[in-house]
Amino acid sequence: MQFKLFKNNGLFYFFLAMFVLFSVTTLGSATQKVPIRFDDYHGYTGTATYIKEVAKAYPDITTLLEIGKSTMGRPIYVLVISNMKTGTTIDAHVTLRNMRKEGIKNVTPMNPYQGKPGFWLCGSTHGNEYTGTEVCLYCIDKLVSGYGSDEEITRVVDDQTFYICPVVNPDGLYNSLERGISQRQNSMEKDDDEDGKVNEDGPDDLNGDGHITQFRYKDPKGEYVIDEQDPRLMVRLRRDEKTEKELYSVIREDKDNDGDSKRGEDSESGIDLNRNFPEGWFKGTIAGGQGDYPTSAPETHAIAEFFTNHSNILMAQNYHTSGGFTYRPLGTAPDSEVHPKDVAVFDMIMGKKYLEIIGEEVPEAWQNPEKLAKLKAELEKASKNKYAKARGYELPRGWRVSYDEEKDEPYNYGMATDWMYLQLGIYALTTELWNPMNDIPGFPQYEGEDARINVQRALLKYQDEKYGGNLFLPWKKFHHPELGEGEIGGWIPKYSGNAFPGEPLINVCEKHWQFEKFRAGLQPQIVITEARAKAITESSANEANTTQKGDQVTIQKGKSKGKYKIVEVTATIENKGILATHVARGATLAGNREDIVWLIGDRDRIAYLQGSPFQKLGVIEGTQKIPGYTPRGAPPTEEPQRQRMMFFYPGFPMFQRGPSYGPTEVKQKGPKRAVKWLVAVEGDATLKVIVTSQKGGTAVKNLDIQ
Ligand SMILES: [Zn+2]
């Protein structure tokens, strides 16, 4: 009775809202229950320890999942971050008509957090590209420690679900950092040199200093010379470049361990996980480390399975290193395969923000989308790139596709981002983190063909000043068992290629946290803004008479007594988020389902006269018009919902369905749907409206019949 009273009382909600608001604003500054520092890399072990501690310290907003194991048996973790006390999924409300016999388990119930828009973040798909692992940890820290004190963070953790997988490739990362052997691939056993033995000839720490660096030796056929400006650096000659200087060869610190006169040709390194995803998978003749079939790697398999079971993911980021730019889809196919609306979302919304954050120039067309037609006409003459001409702009350095538009050639195959976008309808990105010129304040800017060596020189100087020269090992004489006299030295592999720990790494982390927080702010959010159930019968309720002619039902009040009341239910469903509930290919994509609204009650005690138990809503648009995109065809109209009449028979069982009965389709466009049902309710059976959007969230409203 009390409960019902509250439900009817608007004041109660007002006080509840005030209380929540008050709590949020008075909790004070962020509380970091698990401290984290970024003055060195966490590696696999450090990452696992950290996320376990976070899961323990924040049980209300985190769940730690083990989604699979690597080849060497190391767990692959996903830390789920979301308010665990909120959220619901449709399977919690629809009871199965034919429950299976005891002992036979039904489908695993969904977790409440699967009923919120999902956001995937991952790092270290390539084991030696661990800057992304650090960015994942940084984002975890921001989300959990900002929850309850930062309004924006609190909102995204309440309304969304973050799936953060800091280490996709545990073995590659473990070997790269904890063993000091840089390893891009996983550790699937592979007989690289086809001698019947596996992993018998990897690199070696020849001088036993704990690092596998480089060996340089004088070699008339060598392609390197010592740098004039900084003799610690080796400069590779350009093709056909002549020199009077002494020539050198530079190899990884290594010897021949299996007597086949080759060095390091069969290491633990297995296959490339970012070539093993089931989209545009390799079908050529040259082996590229892609594996025997798509998802043949346990790590890729675990991710594919996870995505299949977590179909609420709309945003994804796959962090790699290095370069300081982002690949948006596609790499296996040209831009003509991406829907123009998605091109606009990627470039004009996400790309624009990304370039602003990394501090690079935003193309004119993205700043002024209204000039697109004019810019397109200009580019028609100026460019040879047909994809750029179709878009109206060239893609900038910082925001690109990996497909080679100049040569009209795919970049590669079996990549995560393409799979996520093309098959699952996810705004997936691959960001190559770390560009010293952007990420170290005051770092000199270089362009042109000498940029690479100039950056190396400046980095070397920077580590002399800020890190006491400890990131680079000075060259020391060494007698190589096969190559003779030479020197061992160079960048400690741990620090070459990834953001330097400390300030540079924190800069990288902060920028990408800002960018992903921005993207979280674009997610759709489906809410029921209004839902009412009104009894059409008189106040004594249990009176109604109906007559039926064809598929028309006539309800007359008070003529004779029945044990039911006729109830009209109306509901308004809105997407309060910026983006639509699906990418542009929407529900036509095999992995996607359109948004649905249910009216649920006791099946034996309610009958649907108008409107089916669930009605199909299509894809609900977001609140923002997409810049630079004009939909083809007629502009969207607010077409009223068409109702389907049902056959109606008085008596019990009172109602029978017409022969061609199917779900009602609500043909309305835009960010709003107004839906309606007419139901016959026996006695005081309860009703609720549930809207379920695969990626826009699930919301419930209980109805009091008025
Ligand atoms: Zn990579």
Side-chain angles (χ1 to χ4, degrees), residues 227 229-230 233 235 436-437 443-461:
D227 183 33
Q229 291 184 34
D230 192 327
L233 287 176
V235 186
M437 292 193 282
F443 200 84
Q445 303 295 304
Y446 300 106
E447 271 177 44
E449 56 181 13
D450 286 335
R452 213 183 148 269
I453 186 70
N454 278 325
V455 168
Q456 287 291 308
R457 286 170 186 145
L459 275 176
L460 211 43
K461 208 168 141 236

Side-chain angles (χ1 to χ4, degrees), residues 126 129 184 320:
H126 290 145
E129 300 176 7
R184 174 186 173 93
H320 287 247

Side-chain angles (χ1 to χ4, degrees), residues 129 188 240 286 348 432 473 514 536 550 553 615:
E129 300 176 7
M188 271 173 100
D240 304 325
I286 307 159
M348 302 252 178
E432 296 283 354
L473 291 179
Q514 289 300 334
I536 291 174
V553 179
Q615 304 195 28

Side-chain angles (χ1 to χ4, degrees), residues 188 190 271-272 275-276 281-282 288-294 296-297:
M188 271 173 100
K190 192 156 87 359
I271 70 165
D272 187 331
R275 305 290 178 268
N276 190 237
W281 187 73
F282 181 76
Q290 79 284 1
D292 294 332
Y293 57 89
S296 64

Side-chain angles (χ1 to χ4, degrees), residues 578-595:
I578 286 175
L579 295 176
T581 55
H582 281 299
V583 299
R585 282 169 70 197
T588 63
L589 201 63
N592 284 349
R593 193 214 65 208
E594 70 183 276
D595 303 332

Side-chain angles (χ1 to χ4, degrees), residues 536-537 544-547 553-557 566 609 648 678:
I536 291 174
T537 50
N545 187 31
T546 61
T547 50
V553 179
T554 310
I555 302 158
Q556 291 166 294
K557 294 175 189 169
I566 307 298
L609 307 179
F648 185 112
L678 199 60

